[in-house]
Amino acid sequence: MPFSAPLLTLAEDVLREFRKNGLRLATAESCTGGLIAGCLTAISGSSEVVERGFVTYSSEAKTEMLGVPPSLIADHGAVSAEVAEAMATGALAQSRAEVAVAVTGIAGPGGGSAIKPVGLVFIAVARSGGTVTSERNLFPGGRSAVRMAVVERALTMLLRYGRTG
């Protein structure tokens, strides 16, 4: 899936701000399947910033690779703010990055419910030192539209973090 010019420009902005502030980044992705890391690494020189990425599509992968407690997934569901935050924190713990972004959600077209509809995505950003921010999003459209909207929102959140150094 090719990335749009505006999305690549946003990725360049993220990389520039992180580079300027000496920050490295890790990604932990579920519903995007690596698209955030893919968009960032489509830019030449991204290796100065992107330290590593985790694609943790299953609950088991979230637990095994990122240390997300199975009880947290059982209590809140894999698609929850709590799991997104644990994924971001786990990506920091399993990398040499100073900032990590994590996404978990329901891209569709199936898998949704009245409580957790298609398009529901939680995005979390963790910073070394313990700061974790998460947000709940409900993106419209089909699977591709939802996934690309998640990439854009995650990069926008990262840009804010990059600018605060």
Side-chain angles (χ1 to χ4, degrees), residues 8-58:
L8 291 172
T9 298
L10 181 56
E12 288 174 342
D13 292 344
V14 169
L15 294 169
R16 182 183 58 253
E17 292 300 324
F18 271 63
R19 193 177 296 112
K20 183 171 76 175
N21 289 299
L23 298 171
R24 290 169 296 169
L25 172 66
T27 62
E29 303 181 60
S30 186
C31 61
T32 50
L35 288 173
I36 297 166
C39 187
L40 289 164
T41 59
I43 309 299
S44 178
S46 59
S47 62
E48 296 172 27
V49 172
V50 180
E51 204 274 327
R52 70 184 71 188
F54 301 90
V55 176
T56 55
Y57 212 69
S58 69

Short mmCIF file of all heavy atoms in Angstrom, two decimals, residues 8-58:
data_model
loop_
_atom_site.label_atom_id
_atom_site.label_comp_id
_atom_site.label_asym_id
_atom_site.label_seq_id
_atom_site.Cartn_x
_atom_site.Cartn_y
_atom_site.Cartn_z
N LEU A 8 3.67 11.05 3.91
CA LEU A 8 5.14 11.00 3.89
C LEU A 8 5.75 12.29 4.39
O LEU A 8 6.77 12.28 5.09
CB LEU A 8 5.63 10.67 2.47
CG LEU A 8 5.34 9.25 2.00
CD1 LEU A 8 5.68 9.09 0.53
CD2 LEU A 8 6.07 8.22 2.85
N THR A 9 5.12 13.43 4.09
CA THR A 9 5.59 14.71 4.62
C THR A 9 5.48 14.73 6.14
O THR A 9 6.39 15.20 6.83
CB THR A 9 4.80 15.88 4.00
OG1 THR A 9 5.02 15.88 2.59
CG2 THR A 9 5.22 17.22 4.58
N LEU A 10 4.37 14.21 6.66
CA LEU A 10 4.20 14.12 8.11
C LEU A 10 5.27 13.23 8.72
O LEU A 10 5.86 13.56 9.76
CB LEU A 10 2.79 13.61 8.43
CG LEU A 10 2.41 13.46 9.90
CD1 LEU A 10 2.57 14.77 10.67
CD2 LEU A 10 0.97 12.94 9.99
N ALA A 11 5.55 12.10 8.08
CA ALA A 11 6.61 11.20 8.57
C ALA A 11 7.96 11.91 8.56
O ALA A 11 8.74 11.78 9.51
CB ALA A 11 6.66 9.94 7.71
N GLU A 12 8.24 12.68 7.51
CA GLU A 12 9.50 13.45 7.46
C GLU A 12 9.57 14.44 8.61
O GLU A 12 10.63 14.62 9.22
CB GLU A 12 9.61 14.19 6.13
CG GLU A 12 9.90 13.30 4.95
CD GLU A 12 9.86 14.03 3.62
OE1 GLU A 12 9.29 15.15 3.53
OE2 GLU A 12 10.39 13.46 2.64
N ASP A 13 8.45 15.09 8.91
CA ASP A 13 8.41 16.06 10.03
C ASP A 13 8.71 15.36 11.35
O ASP A 13 9.46 15.89 12.18
CB ASP A 13 7.05 16.75 10.09
CG ASP A 13 6.79 17.67 8.91
OD1 ASP A 13 7.74 18.03 8.19
OD2 ASP A 13 5.61 18.03 8.72
N VAL A 14 8.12 14.18 11.55
CA VAL A 14 8.37 13.41 12.78
C VAL A 14 9.85 13.08 12.88
O VAL A 14 10.49 13.31 13.93
CB VAL A 14 7.51 12.12 12.82
CG1 VAL A 14 7.97 11.21 13.95
CG2 VAL A 14 6.04 12.46 12.95
N LEU A 15 10.41 12.55 11.81
CA LEU A 15 11.82 12.17 11.83
C LEU A 15 12.73 13.36 12.09
O LEU A 15 13.69 13.26 12.87
CB LEU A 15 12.20 11.49 10.51
CG LEU A 15 11.52 10.14 10.25
CD1 LEU A 15 11.76 9.68 8.82
CD2 LEU A 15 11.99 9.09 11.25
N ARG A 16 12.44 14.49 11.47
CA ARG A 16 13.24 15.70 11.67
C ARG A 16 13.21 16.15 13.14
O ARG A 16 14.25 16.44 13.74
CB ARG A 16 12.74 16.83 10.77
CG ARG A 16 13.58 18.11 10.90
CD ARG A 16 13.07 19.28 10.06
NE ARG A 16 11.69 19.62 10.42
CZ ARG A 16 10.62 19.36 9.67
NH1 ARG A 16 10.74 18.75 8.50
NH2 ARG A 16 9.42 19.71 10.07
N GLU A 17 12.02 16.18 13.74
CA GLU A 17 11.91 16.62 15.14
C GLU A 17 12.58 15.65 16.10
O GLU A 17 13.25 16.06 17.04
CB GLU A 17 10.44 16.82 15.52
CG GLU A 17 9.78 17.99 14.82
CD GLU A 17 10.43 19.33 15.10
OE1 GLU A 17 10.89 19.57 16.23
OE2 GLU A 17 10.49 20.15 14.16
N PHE A 18 12.42 14.36 15.85
CA PHE A 18 13.07 13.36 16.70
C PHE A 18 14.58 13.46 16.56
O PHE A 18 15.32 13.41 17.56
CB PHE A 18 12.58 11.95 16.35
CG PHE A 18 11.36 11.52 17.12
CD1 PHE A 18 10.15 12.20 16.98
CD2 PHE A 18 11.40 10.44 17.99
CE1 PHE A 18 9.02 11.81 17.69
CE2 PHE A 18 10.29 10.04 18.70
CZ PHE A 18 9.10 10.73 18.55
N ARG A 19 15.06 13.59 15.34
CA ARG A 19 16.50 13.72 15.09
C ARG A 19 17.05 14.95 15.80
O ARG A 19 18.09 14.89 16.47
CB ARG A 19 16.75 13.79 13.59
CG ARG A 19 18.19 13.60 13.18
CD ARG A 19 18.35 13.61 11.65
NE ARG A 19 17.67 12.49 11.00
CZ ARG A 19 16.60 12.62 10.21
NH1 ARG A 19 16.10 13.81 9.94
NH2 ARG A 19 16.03 11.56 9.67
N LYS A 20 16.35 16.06 15.66
CA LYS A 20 16.78 17.33 16.26
C LYS A 20 16.90 17.21 17.78
O LYS A 20 17.79 17.80 18.39
CB LYS A 20 15.78 18.44 15.89
CG LYS A 20 16.16 19.81 16.39
CD LYS A 20 15.25 20.88 15.79
CE LYS A 20 13.91 20.86 16.45
NZ LYS A 20 13.02 21.95 15.99
N ASN A 21 16.02 16.42 18.39
CA ASN A 21 16.00 16.29 19.85
C ASN A 21 16.69 15.02 20.34
O ASN A 21 16.62 14.69 21.53
CB ASN A 21 14.56 16.34 20.36
CG ASN A 21 13.99 17.73 20.23
OD1 ASN A 21 14.51 18.67 20.83
ND2 ASN A 21 12.96 17.89 19.42
N GLY A 22 17.37 14.31 19.44
CA GLY A 22 18.12 13.12 19.84
C GLY A 22 17.27 11.99 20.36
O GLY A 22 17.70 11.25 21.25
N LEU A 23 16.06 11.84 19.82
CA LEU A 23 15.15 10.81 20.28
C LEU A 23 15.08 9.64 19.30
O LEU A 23 15.09 9.84 18.09
CB LEU A 23 13.73 11.38 20.44
CG LEU A 23 13.56 12.49 21.46
CD1 LEU A 23 12.17 13.10 21.35
CD2 LEU A 23 13.81 11.97 22.87
N ARG A 24 15.02 8.45 19.85
CA ARG A 24 14.80 7.25 19.04
C ARG A 24 13.40 6.72 19.31
O ARG A 24 12.84 6.93 20.38
CB ARG A 24 15.85 6.19 19.38
CG ARG A 24 17.24 6.60 18.90
CD ARG A 24 18.29 5.70 19.45
NE ARG A 24 18.28 5.88 20.91
CZ ARG A 24 18.91 5.12 21.76
NH1 ARG A 24 19.63 4.11 21.34
NH2 ARG A 24 18.86 5.34 23.06
N LEU A 25 12.87 6.01 18.34
CA LEU A 25 11.47 5.60 18.35
C LEU A 25 11.31 4.10 18.16
O LEU A 25 12.02 3.50 17.35
CB LEU A 25 10.73 6.34 17.22
CG LEU A 25 9.30 5.95 16.92
CD1 LEU A 25 8.40 6.31 18.10
CD2 LEU A 25 8.84 6.65 15.66
N ALA A 26 10.35 3.52 18.89
CA ALA A 26 9.92 2.14 18.67
C ALA A 26 8.42 2.16 18.39
O ALA A 26 7.70 3.00 18.93
CB ALA A 26 10.22 1.27 19.88
N THR A 27 7.98 1.23 17.56
CA THR A 27 6.55 1.10 17.28
C THR A 27 6.07 -0.26 17.75
O THR A 27 6.81 -1.25 17.68
CB THR A 27 6.24 1.26 15.77
OG1 THR A 27 6.89 0.21 15.06
CG2 THR A 27 6.71 2.61 15.25
N ALA A 28 4.83 -0.30 18.22
CA ALA A 28 4.16 -1.56 18.59
C ALA A 28 2.79 -1.50 17.93
O ALA A 28 1.94 -0.72 18.34
CB ALA A 28 4.05 -1.69 20.10
N GLU A 29 2.61 -2.31 16.90
CA GLU A 29 1.41 -2.20 16.08
C GLU A 29 0.62 -3.48 16.04
O GLU A 29 1.17 -4.55 15.87
CB GLU A 29 1.81 -1.80 14.66
CG GLU A 29 2.62 -0.51 14.59
CD GLU A 29 2.98 -0.12 13.19
OE1 GLU A 29 2.05 0.09 12.37
OE2 GLU A 29 4.19 -0.05 12.89
N SER A 30 -0.69 -3.32 16.16
CA SER A 30 -1.59 -4.44 15.98
C SER A 30 -2.40 -4.22 14.71
O SER A 30 -2.02 -4.71 13.66
CB SER A 30 -2.50 -4.59 17.21
OG SER A 30 -3.29 -5.74 17.09
N CYS A 31 -3.43 -3.42 14.75
CA CYS A 31 -4.34 -3.29 13.60
C CYS A 31 -3.68 -2.67 12.37
O CYS A 31 -4.16 -2.86 11.25
CB CYS A 31 -5.58 -2.50 13.98
SG CYS A 31 -5.26 -0.82 14.54
N THR A 32 -2.58 -1.98 12.52
CA THR A 32 -1.89 -1.39 11.37
C THR A 32 -0.84 -2.34 10.78
O THR A 32 -0.31 -2.06 9.71
CB THR A 32 -1.21 -0.06 11.75
OG1 THR A 32 -0.44 -0.26 12.94
CG2 THR A 32 -2.25 1.04 11.96
N GLY A 33 -0.52 -3.40 11.47
CA GLY A 33 0.36 -4.42 10.92
C GLY A 33 1.71 -3.93 10.44
O GLY A 33 2.28 -4.47 9.51
N GLY A 34 2.25 -2.88 11.04
CA GLY A 34 3.56 -2.37 10.66
C GLY A 34 3.53 -1.15 9.75
O GLY A 34 4.59 -0.67 9.33
N LEU A 35 2.34 -0.62 9.46
CA LEU A 35 2.26 0.52 8.54
C LEU A 35 2.91 1.79 9.09
O LEU A 35 3.45 2.59 8.33
CB LEU A 35 0.79 0.81 8.18
CG LEU A 35 0.13 -0.20 7.25
CD1 LEU A 35 -1.36 0.11 7.12
CD2 LEU A 35 0.80 -0.20 5.88
N ILE A 36 2.87 1.99 10.40
CA ILE A 36 3.50 3.18 10.97
C ILE A 36 5.01 3.11 10.75
O ILE A 36 5.62 4.05 10.24
CB ILE A 36 3.16 3.35 12.47
CG1 ILE A 36 1.66 3.55 12.66
CG2 ILE A 36 3.94 4.52 13.08
CD1 ILE A 36 1.18 3.39 14.09
N ALA A 37 5.59 1.97 11.10
CA ALA A 37 7.03 1.79 10.87
C ALA A 37 7.32 1.86 9.38
O ALA A 37 8.33 2.43 8.96
CB ALA A 37 7.49 0.45 11.45
N GLY A 38 6.45 1.28 8.56
CA GLY A 38 6.64 1.30 7.11
C GLY A 38 6.64 2.71 6.55
O GLY A 38 7.46 3.04 5.68
N CYS A 39 5.74 3.54 7.03
CA CYS A 39 5.68 4.92 6.56
C CYS A 39 6.94 5.69 6.96
O CYS A 39 7.53 6.40 6.15
CB CYS A 39 4.42 5.60 7.10
SG CYS A 39 4.13 7.25 6.42
N LEU A 40 7.35 5.52 8.21
CA LEU A 40 8.56 6.20 8.68
C LEU A 40 9.80 5.73 7.92
O LEU A 40 10.64 6.53 7.53
CB LEU A 40 8.74 5.98 10.18
CG LEU A 40 7.75 6.72 11.07
CD1 LEU A 40 7.75 6.14 12.48
CD2 LEU A 40 8.06 8.22 11.11
N THR A 41 9.90 4.43 7.71
CA THR A 41 11.10 3.90 7.07
C THR A 41 11.07 4.03 5.55
O THR A 41 12.06 3.70 4.89
CB THR A 41 11.35 2.43 7.47
OG1 THR A 41 10.23 1.62 7.09
CG2 THR A 41 11.61 2.31 8.97
N ALA A 42 9.98 4.56 5.01
CA ALA A 42 9.95 4.91 3.58
C ALA A 42 10.83 6.14 3.32
O ALA A 42 11.17 6.43 2.17
CB ALA A 42 8.52 5.18 3.12
N ILE A 43 11.21 6.83 4.38
CA ILE A 43 12.02 8.05 4.29
C ILE A 43 13.49 7.69 4.48
O ILE A 43 13.86 7.04 5.46
CB ILE A 43 11.60 9.07 5.37
CG1 ILE A 43 10.09 9.32 5.36
CG2 ILE A 43 12.39 10.36 5.24
CD1 ILE A 43 9.53 9.87 4.09
N SER A 44 14.33 8.13 3.56
CA SER A 44 15.76 7.91 3.66
C SER A 44 16.31 8.54 4.94
O SER A 44 15.93 9.65 5.30
CB SER A 44 16.46 8.52 2.44
OG SER A 44 17.85 8.35 2.54
N GLY A 45 17.17 7.84 5.63
CA GLY A 45 17.77 8.35 6.87
C GLY A 45 16.95 8.04 8.11
O GLY A 45 17.34 8.44 9.21
N SER A 46 15.85 7.33 7.95
CA SER A 46 14.98 7.03 9.09
C SER A 46 15.66 6.16 10.14
O SER A 46 15.26 6.17 11.31
CB SER A 46 13.69 6.37 8.62
OG SER A 46 13.98 5.17 7.92
N SER A 47 16.71 5.45 9.76
CA SER A 47 17.40 4.57 10.72
C SER A 47 18.05 5.35 11.85
O SER A 47 18.36 4.78 12.89
CB SER A 47 18.43 3.70 10.01
OG SER A 47 19.42 4.51 9.40
N GLU A 48 18.24 6.65 11.67
CA GLU A 48 18.77 7.48 12.77
C GLU A 48 17.75 7.63 13.88
O GLU A 48 18.11 7.96 15.02
CB GLU A 48 19.13 8.86 12.25
CG GLU A 48 20.24 8.89 11.23
CD GLU A 48 20.42 10.27 10.62
OE1 GLU A 48 20.10 11.27 11.30
OE2 GLU A 48 20.86 10.34 9.47
N VAL A 49 16.47 7.41 13.59
CA VAL A 49 15.39 7.63 14.55
C VAL A 49 14.65 6.33 14.88
O VAL A 49 14.41 6.04 16.05
CB VAL A 49 14.39 8.68 14.01
CG1 VAL A 49 13.15 8.76 14.91
CG2 VAL A 49 15.06 10.03 13.88
N VAL A 50 14.28 5.57 13.89
CA VAL A 50 13.49 4.36 14.11
C VAL A 50 14.40 3.26 14.63
O VAL A 50 15.25 2.75 13.90
CB VAL A 50 12.76 3.92 12.83
CG1 VAL A 50 11.94 2.66 13.10
CG2 VAL A 50 11.86 5.03 12.30
N GLU A 51 14.22 2.91 15.89
CA GLU A 51 15.09 1.92 16.54
C GLU A 51 14.60 0.50 16.25
O GLU A 51 15.38 -0.38 15.96
CB GLU A 51 15.11 2.20 18.04
CG GLU A 51 16.35 1.67 18.74
CD GLU A 51 16.22 0.22 19.18
OE1 GLU A 51 15.11 -0.22 19.52
OE2 GLU A 51 17.24 -0.48 19.15
N ARG A 52 13.29 0.27 16.34
CA ARG A 52 12.71 -1.03 16.00
C ARG A 52 11.20 -0.95 16.02
O ARG A 52 10.63 -0.01 16.53
CB ARG A 52 13.19 -2.14 16.94
CG ARG A 52 12.67 -2.03 18.36
CD ARG A 52 13.26 -3.10 19.27
NE ARG A 52 14.66 -2.78 19.51
CZ ARG A 52 15.50 -3.58 20.15
NH1 ARG A 52 15.10 -4.74 20.61
NH2 ARG A 52 16.75 -3.23 20.34
N GLY A 53 10.59 -1.99 15.44
CA GLY A 53 9.13 -2.07 15.42
C GLY A 53 8.68 -3.47 15.75
O GLY A 53 9.35 -4.45 15.43
N PHE A 54 7.54 -3.54 16.42
CA PHE A 54 6.93 -4.81 16.79
C PHE A 54 5.55 -4.88 16.12
O PHE A 54 4.77 -3.95 16.25
CB PHE A 54 6.71 -4.89 18.31
CG PHE A 54 7.96 -4.77 19.12
CD1 PHE A 54 8.42 -3.53 19.54
CD2 PHE A 54 8.69 -5.90 19.49
CE1 PHE A 54 9.56 -3.41 20.32
CE2 PHE A 54 9.84 -5.78 20.25
CZ PHE A 54 10.28 -4.53 20.67
N VAL A 55 5.28 -5.97 15.44
CA VAL A 55 3.93 -6.23 14.94
C VAL A 55 3.37 -7.33 15.84
O VAL A 55 3.81 -8.47 15.79
CB VAL A 55 3.92 -6.66 13.46
CG1 VAL A 55 2.50 -7.02 13.03
CG2 VAL A 55 4.47 -5.55 12.59
N THR A 56 2.45 -6.92 16.70
CA THR A 56 1.89 -7.83 17.70
C THR A 56 0.39 -7.95 17.44
O THR A 56 -0.42 -7.37 18.16
CB THR A 56 2.18 -7.33 19.13
OG1 THR A 56 1.69 -5.99 19.26
CG2 THR A 56 3.67 -7.34 19.41
N TYR A 57 0.06 -8.69 16.41
CA TYR A 57 -1.32 -8.79 15.95
C TYR A 57 -2.18 -9.63 16.89
O TYR A 57 -3.33 -9.32 17.12
CB TYR A 57 -1.33 -9.38 14.53
CG TYR A 57 -2.45 -8.87 13.69
CD1 TYR A 57 -2.50 -7.56 13.25
CD2 TYR A 57 -3.49 -9.71 13.31
CE1 TYR A 57 -3.54 -7.09 12.47
CE2 TYR A 57 -4.52 -9.26 12.53
CZ TYR A 57 -4.55 -7.94 12.11
OH TYR A 57 -5.58 -7.49 11.35
N SER A 58 -1.60 -10.66 17.47
CA SER A 58 -2.37 -11.53 18.37
C SER A 58 -2.15 -11.12 19.83
O SER A 58 -1.17 -10.45 20.17
CB SER A 58 -1.94 -12.99 18.21
OG SER A 58 -0.62 -13.17 18.69
#
